[in-house]
Amino acid sequence: VQLVESGGGLVQPGGSLRLSCAASGITLDDYAIGWFRQAPGKEREGVGCISPGDGITFYADSMKGRFTISSDNAKNTVYLQMNSLKFEDSAVYSCAAVRTPPVHILRRWNRITFWNAWGQGTQVTVSS
């Protein structure tokens, strides 16, 4: 499994970015993809996840409304659309993969140990 994130960069407060997580070695129909972020000096924080095979998504409560996860299964890519960005959204954003579990198990997505493959991450900096 290989996951490669892209799309990070510098954005002003209130702006938007779309991150991509390109997967290889797996078929998204069979895997769930999660997004996490980590700011300097802070623990890794869950953003949300998607089961591309059926479109089910879960989000951390603090991420609902501004962040949207979607997938293009033909491109084997998952996206994280981030809107109304704030200074505190600055972090390294990483995607992770796990073979799709039953939905009642996927609800436990917001644990680092739930995932068994990780990308290297992409830096998002929100600054004026």
Side-chain angles (χ1 to χ4, degrees):
V1 179
Q2 185 174 15
L3 304 172
V4 179
E5 302 93 338
S6 63
L10 177 65
V11 62
Q12 292 186 340
S16 298
L17 274 179
R18 189 179 77 160
L19 306 183
S20 299
C21 172
S24 59
I26 60 173
T27 300
L28 284 187
D29 283 346
D30 300 327
Y31 279 75
I33 302 294
W35 280 100
F36 290 79
R37 69 184 188 183
Q38 189 167 21
K42 295 187 177 181
E43 292 187 355
R44 191 169 293 189
E45 178 182 28
V47 175
C49 73
I50 187 169
S51 172
D54 49 26
I56 292 174
T57 56
F58 294 107
Y59 295 93
D61 287 343
S62 61
M63 307 296 173
K64 292 178 181 177
R66 295 190 299 122
F67 292 3
T68 303
I69 299 173
S70 62
S71 69
D72 184 334
N73 293 10
K75 295 182 178 180
N76 234 32
T77 299
V78 170
Y79 302 100
L80 174 63
Q81 178 68 43
M82 306 186 295
N83 299 326
S84 302
L85 285 165
K86 307 174 182 179
F87 293 118
E88 53 265 38
D89 293 320
S90 297
V92 174
Y93 285 73
S94 302
C95 59
V98 67
R99 189 172 287 276
T100 306
V103 172
H104 73 281
I105 300 295
L106 186 59
R107 292 182 183 277
R108 305 173 190 172
W109 67 272
N110 201 357
R111 303 175 184 179
I112 303 302
T113 54
F114 184 87
W115 306 90
N116 54 31
W118 291 83
Q120 293 298 309
T122 185
Q123 176 71 49
V124 172
T125 302
V126 183
S127 176
S128 55

